[in-house]
Amino acid sequence: MSHIIVIGAGITGVTSAYELAKLGYQVTVIDRHLFPAMETSFANGGQLSACNAEVWNQKSTVAKGIKWMSHKDAPLLLNPSFNLHKYSWLFEFLSQIKNYEKNTIDTVRLALLARQRLFEIAKDENIDFNLEKRGILHIYHNESDYIVAKNVNDLLVKGQLERFGVTPEQMKQIEPTLAGEYFGGYYTPGDATGDIHKFSVGLAERSKTYGVNYQFGWDVKDVQLNEHMVRVTCLPSDENMSQLSNEELYLEADGIIVCGGVGSYQLAHMLGDRVNVYPVKGYSITVHLKDTKSIANAPWVSLLDERAKIVTSRLGEDRLRVAGTAEFNGYNRDIRADRIQPLINWVNENFDLSTEHVVPWAGLRPMMPNMMPVVKQGRHPRVFYNTGHGHLGWTLSAATASMISQEIAMKVPA
């Protein structure tokens, strides 16, 4: 039985491990944290959103980013301080504007495949993760934004997505808690929401029954590659130092997959490849609905507010997840009050519910300049990548895990 090492126990690592185990591989997953899904897969916006598949490589996005640079509460924020990695990434981002339409359509099609596969996995493995199949409603406050959105919608429909325009009256029928004034919206009935952390933890537990071995609390420090084998050396991570301060972990395998999130840039360099992942910080709040009025007035249908660039997901009866913003500020994981407050303000402005019990969070999205995930074999025949999903890791991971597993099955048979 061939042995594959997966680096990273976030949503892409766990789904990849599961698919490989189902194909008959021995699988070991290594993660620096003590539990699965503790970074970007911990508290994202919750949307399984084929409707959000539009890539960001547009001149209008660049123009907005420049305009917003002086506003600390802007949806998109760029720290202008010089960093070679950041500015090389931005240069490549601009070079991909020519591929905007193609990459958007390809992402839609991938998202539709992923949605179907994730639903299958959840059903087969009986995973409870607050799944809500109520669709996603994209809301617009003015005519100019709505007109721009029509061109985007035409692209998404070209990718075979079922999505259509709705009037303000229809919007409030779809989600009765909407209280504001809107010009119109677009509704995607097939999209869904769910708790990415609960799904990842649940699938990790289920994958153990197929033989997947998880090694938590280890940092990959060295990888040696040869024609026949991969040798990985790990040292205790900061979270594990108190228990294993002088120990090392050695593993040998027939292949390795990098699913390391924003750490994939450094891991790829170690393996002789260039995977230009850059960390783009996103923020979220989880509003705990503690009273009857808040439970009744929080939306169940997932929303995406175009003007504020904010999304919502209802996670069971007593939680509302609200997320947004993109911040280019390196590997900084600080939770900034001036970035959290606009999310709280947005909830207070749009819904009659209490924001007394709010838990803030920030995570780093692993983004490629073309906004497309990296799902491929590396230069070495025993190295593979499933990373760089950006803001769509939750949406795309079930498809990319299946794709990379099938490629490994062809190159390194079980």
Side-chain angles (χ1 to χ4, degrees), residues 71-77 283-285 287 305 307-312 322-327 335-351 355 358 360-361:
H71 302 280
K72 290 184 178 180
D73 60 349
L76 177 63
L77 192 64
Y283 293 85
S284 78
I285 58 173
V287 183
D305 186 329
R307 183 171 65 190
K309 304 296 184 184
I310 285 175
V311 306
T312 71
V322 180
T325 75
E327 184 177 309
I335 300 175
R336 292 173 46 176
D338 60 346
R339 305 293 278 162
I340 292 295
Q341 192 60 48
L343 301 178
I344 298 173
N345 293 345
W346 185 88
V347 175
N348 290 328
E349 290 166 6
N350 287 277
F351 303 99
T355 52
V358 167
W361 175 84

Side-chain angles (χ1 to χ4, degrees), residues 175 177 289 293-300 314 320 351-353:
E175 180 43 67
T177 66
L289 310 170
K293 184 180 80 169
S294 296
I295 291 172
N297 291 341
W300 280 97
R314 186 70 177 264
L320 177 67
F351 303 99
D352 185 16
L353 56 86

Side-chain angles (χ1 to χ4, degrees), residues 83-96 225 258 261-278 331 367-370 372-380 383-388:
N83 175 273
L84 183 60
H85 182 196
K86 176 170 63 183
Y87 280 96
S88 70
W89 189 95
L90 289 170
F91 179 79
E92 289 186 37
F93 175 90
L94 294 174
S95 73
Q96 288 293 323
L225 305 169
V258 174
V262 295
S264 300
Y265 179 77
Q266 292 81 8
L267 289 164
H269 180 74
M270 183 187 299
L271 295 166
D273 292 307
R274 183 176 184 270
V275 176
N276 197 17
V277 166
Y278 187 81
Y331 292 87
M367 283 195 172
M368 292 293 293
N370 63 355
M372 304 291 287
V374 180
V375 189
K376 67 175 186 178
Q377 187 177 41
R379 291 182 181 177
H380 194 280
V383 173
F384 300 86
Y385 294 90
N386 182 19
T387 189

Side-chain angles (χ1 to χ4, degrees), residues 139 141 168 171-172 176-183 349-351:
I139 61 179
H141 296 266
M171 291 167 62
K172 293 183 179 181
T177 66
L178 279 174
E181 296 298 322
Y182 309 98
F183 181 84
E349 290 166 6
N350 287 277
F351 303 99

Side-chain angles (χ1 to χ4, degrees), residues 88-381:
S88 70
W89 189 95
L90 289 170
F91 179 79
E92 289 186 37
F93 175 90
L94 294 174
S95 73
Q96 288 293 323
I97 290 175
K98 63 181 181 295
N99 296 319
Y100 162 77
E101 291 192 7
K102 178 183 182 301
N103 288 347
T104 294
I105 292 171
D106 288 347
T107 304
V108 175
R109 291 170 176 165
L110 187 60
L112 293 174
L113 292 172
R115 189 170 73 186
Q116 178 182 348
R117 180 58 184 147
L118 188 136
F119 291 164
E120 290 172 353
I121 293 172
K123 181 179 179 181
D124 291 346
E125 304 301 338
N126 193 28
I127 300 173
D128 175 18
F129 62 106
N130 301 123
L131 175 64
E132 293 293 338
K133 295 182 178 181
R134 300 177 187 241
I136 294 178
L137 179 61
H138 206 139
I139 61 179
Y140 299 88
H141 296 266
N142 56 64
E143 184 177 8
S144 60
D145 285 345
Y146 189 81
I147 291 172
V148 171
K150 183 184 182 304
N151 296 329
V152 177
N153 188 68
D154 291 344
L155 263 186
L156 299 177
V157 171
K158 192 174 180 180
Q160 306 303 312
L161 180 66
E162 180 190 3
R163 188 172 185 258
F164 49 84
V166 289
T167 65
E169 293 75 20
Q170 291 170 324
M171 291 167 62
K172 293 183 179 181
Q173 291 174 359
I174 293 169
E175 180 43 67
T177 66
L178 279 174
E181 296 298 322
Y182 309 98
F183 181 84
Y186 281 95
Y187 183 52
T188 312
D191 276 345
T193 57
D195 188 326
I196 186 174
H197 185 254
K198 288 181 70 173
F199 180 88
S200 299
V201 171
L203 186 59
E205 286 300 312
R206 288 296 301 145
S207 69
K208 291 177 184 177
T209 67
Y210 297 102
V212 177
N213 174 36
Y214 287 85
Q215 293 287 342
F216 291 113
W218 296 98
D219 273 324
V220 174
K221 293 301 180 184
D222 184 56
V223 181
Q224 295 182 353
L225 305 169
N226 62 43
E227 183 181 353
H228 305 290
M229 190 176 297
V230 175
R231 290 187 176 90
V232 178
T233 303
C234 303
L235 296 177
S237 66
D238 292 341
E239 296 181 27
N240 210 14
M241 285 293 288
S242 60
Q243 300 180 36
L244 298 169
S245 58
N246 297 315
E247 294 192 26
E248 294 185 350
L249 175 68
Y250 298 97
L251 295 169
E252 293 185 349
D254 300 284
I256 187 169
I257 311 181
V258 174
C259 304
V262 295
S264 300
Y265 179 77
Q266 292 81 8
L267 289 164
H269 180 74
M270 183 187 299
L271 295 166
D273 292 307
R274 183 176 184 270
V275 176
N276 197 17
V277 166
Y278 187 81
V280 180
K281 189 194 292 187
Y283 293 85
S284 78
I285 58 173
T286 303
V287 183
H288 290 269
L289 310 170
K290 298 280 191 176
D291 58 88
T292 304
K293 184 180 80 169
S294 296
I295 291 172
N297 291 341
W300 280 97
V301 173
S302 181
L303 306 173
L304 199 163
D305 186 329
E306 173 61 29
R307 183 171 65 190
K309 304 296 184 184
I310 285 175
V311 306
T312 71
S313 295
R314 186 70 177 264
L315 304 178
E317 185 178 70
D318 60 353
R319 290 185 300 153
L320 177 67
R321 178 70 49 75
V322 180
T325 75
E327 184 177 309
F328 289 78
N329 196 21
Y331 292 87
N332 180 292
R333 290 177 168 82
D334 294 345
I335 300 175
R336 292 173 46 176
D338 60 346
R339 305 293 278 162
I340 292 295
Q341 192 60 48
L343 301 178
I344 298 173
N345 293 345
W346 185 88
V347 175
N348 290 328
E349 290 166 6
N350 287 277
F351 303 99
D352 185 16
L353 56 86
S354 171
T355 52
E356 180 182 1
H357 305 283
V358 167
V359 178
W361 175 84
L364 303 180
R365 309 177 184 102
M367 283 195 172
M368 292 293 293
N370 63 355
M371 310 296 290
M372 304 291 287
V374 180
V375 189
K376 67 175 186 178
Q377 187 177 41
R379 291 182 181 177
H380 194 280

